[in-house]
Amino acid sequence: MRTRAPTGATEAPETAGLGPHASTGLDVDRVADVGAQAVTAVQAQGPAALEVAHAHGLRERKKQATRGELSRAALRLAMERGLDNVLVEDIAAAADVSPRTFNNYFTTKYEAICALGAERASQIGDTLRRRPAGEGLWQALTAAVVAHYETGQFCDPAAMASLKMMLTSPQLRGEHQRIVTTMREALAAAIAERMAAAGVDSAGVDLGLRAEVLAAAVTATAQVAVRRWFAATPATALRPLLEDALAHLQAALRAPETTVPPTTDGSAT
Amino acid sequence: MRTRAPTGATEAPETAGLGPHASTGLDVDRVADVGAQAVTAVQAQGPAALEVAHAHGLRERKKQATRGELSRAALRLAMERGLDNVLVEDIAAAADVSPRTFNNYFTTKYEAICALGAERASQIGDTLRRRPAGEGLWQALTAAVVAHYETGQFCDPAAMASLKMMLTSPQLRGEHQRIVTTMREALAAAIAERMAAAGVDSAGVDLGLRAEVLAAAVTATAQVAVRRWFAATPATALRPLLEDALAHLQAALRAPETTVPPTTDGSAT
DNA sequence: CGCAAAATTGCGTGGCACGCAACCAGAGGT
DNA sequence: ACCTCTGGTTGCGTGCCACGCAATTTTGCG
């Protein structure tokens, strides 16, 4: 076989056959055990019923357990010996499964390494939803982004190295993009809800589009801050960089027409 | 060998050995490069003229020729028979070189497929620079983005399929991210110039950061528009989507504090 | 014209993604 | 509790790929 798409061309079926590929959905039990704050958030929603509803019981649990085990082992090994010095064989061994089983869960080792990050990225929507209703959208957005990056492991050096790895390795770039996409979508959904709840008065505006655009802008800005943070020669705190960058985003579009050449006075429109 | 990093661990040397890897100069992968500081460093060394003089030799021309040939062949074949039904062997054959030579120019076939797009992405800075000086920054930015996507082959169905491929295939995601990064950096540089030329009066603002943030926001917004365009069930024109999305970006940050719940008035600092 | 630098090529190796077909373990019916 | 059946695991095999190494050809320069 080539790489994907067994015979056809489109790549649709994917989850067919034998592997436990698509699993069931999004049960987040033990994967994000690093951040205690996240647990609080999850419990606030009352997702215990979700797991019960899934109720395929032991079978499903074991599946997610090994998935998490593989993902965690992949990240750990990659950090310990370097990305290029870890084989899928090693990861599988660390998770006590066959190398073949590894590929039943992840197509590439890079996907396994980034699985935890993707999981976490999907939670930023709830982080925004948890902001007090009295806050303005922008304020809540800034707070949510800061909280997302601070509750994560962005403080301890281990996670810092993990981020660095994702930003430097070409192979991880695609997976990192996937994480960012997840974050953007989750954020867009939460923004749309908040906009709707606040009752956007403007008549014909496309709420979905606006939310998506805003989420994209905020996410991209956060990435700029993260990139600057990790490139800073004297290591500095991430939070002020984030707040600074987000403030610049707001400012850059608030007064955009100030930029005209001094000689000409032609004020367009 | 593993994947990268032959023996060491850091991945620094990269362009050593035999292959014509580094080409002229700017195909470096630099993820952490935050703006123009790197350029300053390079110019501080002095021998930039050497490279320029060297670039016009017959040797360099042939190199770029075969590189373009490979890239073009890769894209064409991928479009014709589908991404998974083309081997590096096929691409090399189409470019009349050895399969081994292919890997002297590109590490993966996906990189070859996206090389043209990356090339083009770096030109958006000049597109912005070409806007009349009388235009406001925002107006020029919108016009530049629209022009960039319209002068490209984003109208003819062939390029549309190419874009679709880049957005759907997981393997191309990483390369697409690279293109977006290139576009963002090129745009940020041009924005910074335009800001400086207009004389940003605000005293202590970090021009580089603001330009970078703005470029990131605009680029991300353009991606939102492109994604919506290509997902539109009745095929529609890209231009209005782009303009609409960019207008939403501006609007979303102009009046962000309008969103407060009607019942509660508690303003949480 | 001849030499050195640089690019191309052939060959070989280690690794990976995944189809296929056995095998084995939960889940559900009687 | 027994049996079956659905579905996850594993071993094996295959095709493809990235790239080191070394020999060969091409190009630029004195």
Side-chain angles (χ1 to χ4, degrees):
Chain A
M1 184 204 186
R2 298 297 153 69
T3 314
R4 283 267 168 121
T7 54
T10 43
E11 63 116 320
E14 188 65 34
T15 64
L18 45 93
H21 276 147
S23 74
T24 39
L26 52 103
D27 35 8
V28 202
D29 44 358
R30 41 185 308 164
V31 188
D33 57 346
V34 204
Q37 294 86 346
V39 176
T40 315
V42 172
Q43 288 178 344
Q45 276 219 326
L50 194 147
E51 275 190 7
V52 176
H54 265 242
H56 292 40
L58 198 148
R59 217 180 181 103
E60 195 70 20
R61 295 211 155 228
K62 271 209 163 183
K63 223 167 57 174
Q64 295 299 8
T66 53
R67 183 185 172 86
E69 204 64 45
L70 281 169
S71 179
R72 232 170 291 121
L75 180 58
R76 182 176 56 80
L77 289 176
M79 302 264 289
E80 285 175 4
R81 15 176 132 163
L83 185 59
D84 298 315
N85 298 331
V86 52
L87 284 59
V88 296
E89 180 187 348
D90 304 331
I91 302 172
D96 276 312
V97 291
S98 153
R100 184 62 184 85
T101 299
F102 175 88
N103 277 323
N104 288 340
Y105 286 93
F106 303 102
T107 63
T108 73
K109 66 177 176 181
Y110 310 109
E111 187 182 339
I113 291 173
C114 293
L116 294 174
E119 179 83 26
R120 174 161 171 71
S122 66
Q123 298 175 351
I124 196 176
D126 291 320
T127 303
L128 177 61
R129 273 180 270 263
R130 224 170 294 129
R131 296 305 305 174
E135 271 185 345
L137 175 58
W138 181 256
Q139 192 181 352
L141 220 33
T142 303
V145 168
V146 168
H148 180 78
Y149 281 97
E150 283 205 333
T151 60
Q153 313 92 325
F154 285 81
C155 304
D156 67 81
M160 179 172 134
S162 147
L163 228 193
K164 173 167 183 170
M165 197 173 63
M166 295 217 298
L167 291 175
T168 48
S169 162
Q171 281 90 359
L172 290 181
R173 195 163 33 204
E175 298 301 326
H176 180 256
Q177 168 61 21
R178 186 169 159 68
I179 291 177
V180 171
T181 297
T182 300
M183 190 183 301
R184 181 171 43 69
E185 287 173 355
L187 204 56
I191 289 175
E193 289 176 20
R194 209 176 172 97
M195 277 181 171
V200 173
D201 47 340
S202 309
V205 293
D206 185 343
L207 256 182
L209 176 57
R210 172 159 303 192
E212 216 175 326
V213 166
L214 186 51
V218 168
T219 304
T221 301
Q223 286 179 257
V224 169
V226 169
R227 222 170 42 254
R228 283 193 165 228
W229 162 74
F230 126 85
T233 12
T236 177
L238 175 60
R239 182 189 187 129
L241 284 178
L242 273 173
E243 293 172 336
D244 204 26
L246 288 170
H248 270 281
L249 172 62
Q250 205 178 10
L253 282 101
R254 258 194 214 288
E257 301 304 334
T258 61
T259 47
V260 288
T263 56
T264 316
D265 82 326
S267 61
T269 338
Chain B
M1 184 204 184
R2 297 299 153 67
T3 314
R4 281 266 166 124
T7 53
T10 43
E11 61 118 318
E14 188 67 32
T15 62
L18 47 90
H21 276 146
S23 72
T24 41
L26 55 111
D27 60 339
V28 193
D29 222 15
R30 73 238 151 92
V31 184
D33 170 357
V34 202
Q37 290 86 344
V39 178
T40 314
V42 171
Q43 287 179 344
Q45 276 208 325
L50 192 150
E51 274 193 8
V52 175
H54 205 274
H56 290 321
L58 193 149
R59 215 183 184 99
E60 196 68 21
R61 289 197 166 255
K62 269 209 164 184
K63 225 168 55 174
Q64 294 298 11
T66 53
R67 183 185 172 86
E69 203 63 45
L70 281 170
S71 178
R72 232 170 291 121
L75 181 58
R76 183 175 56 80
L77 289 176
M79 302 266 289
E80 286 176 3
R81 18 175 131 162
L83 184 59
D84 299 314
N85 298 330
V86 52
L87 284 60
V88 295
E89 181 187 347
D90 304 332
I91 301 172
D96 276 312
V97 291
S98 152
R100 185 61 185 84
T101 300
F102 174 88
N103 276 323
N104 288 340
Y105 285 94
F106 304 102
T107 63
T108 73
K109 66 178 176 181
Y110 310 110
E111 188 182 338
I113 290 172
C114 293
L116 294 175
E119 177 86 24
R120 174 163 171 68
S122 65
Q123 300 174 350
I124 196 174
D126 292 320
T127 302
L128 176 62
R129 272 180 271 263
R130 225 170 290 129
R131 298 303 306 174
E135 270 185 346
L137 175 59
W138 181 257
Q139 191 180 351
L141 220 33
T142 304
V145 169
V146 168
H148 179 79
Y149 280 97
E150 283 206 333
T151 59
Q153 312 90 329
F154 285 82
C155 304
D156 66 82
M160 178 173 135
S162 149
L163 230 191
K164 173 168 184 170
M165 196 172 63
M166 296 215 301
L167 291 176
T168 49
S169 163
Q171 282 90 358
L172 290 180
R173 195 165 24 211
E175 297 303 325
H176 180 256
Q177 169 60 21
R178 192 180 185 288
I179 291 177
V180 170
T181 297
T182 301
M183 192 184 299
R184 180 170 45 67
E185 287 174 356
L187 203 56
I191 288 175
E193 290 176 21
R194 208 175 173 98
M195 277 181 171
V200 174
D201 48 340
S202 311
V205 293
D206 184 343
L207 257 183
L209 176 57
R210 171 158 303 191
E212 217 176 326
V213 166
L214 187 51
V218 168
T219 304
T221 301
Q223 284 179 259
V224 169
V226 168
R227 223 171 42 253
R228 284 194 164 228
W229 162 73
F230 126 83
T233 13
T236 177
L238 175 60
R239 182 188 187 130
L241 283 179
L242 273 173
E243 292 172 337
D244 204 26
L246 288 170
H248 271 281
L249 172 62
Q250 204 178 11
L253 282 100
R254 257 195 216 286
E257 301 303 334
T258 61
T259 46
V260 289
T263 57
T264 317
D265 81 326
S267 61
T269 324

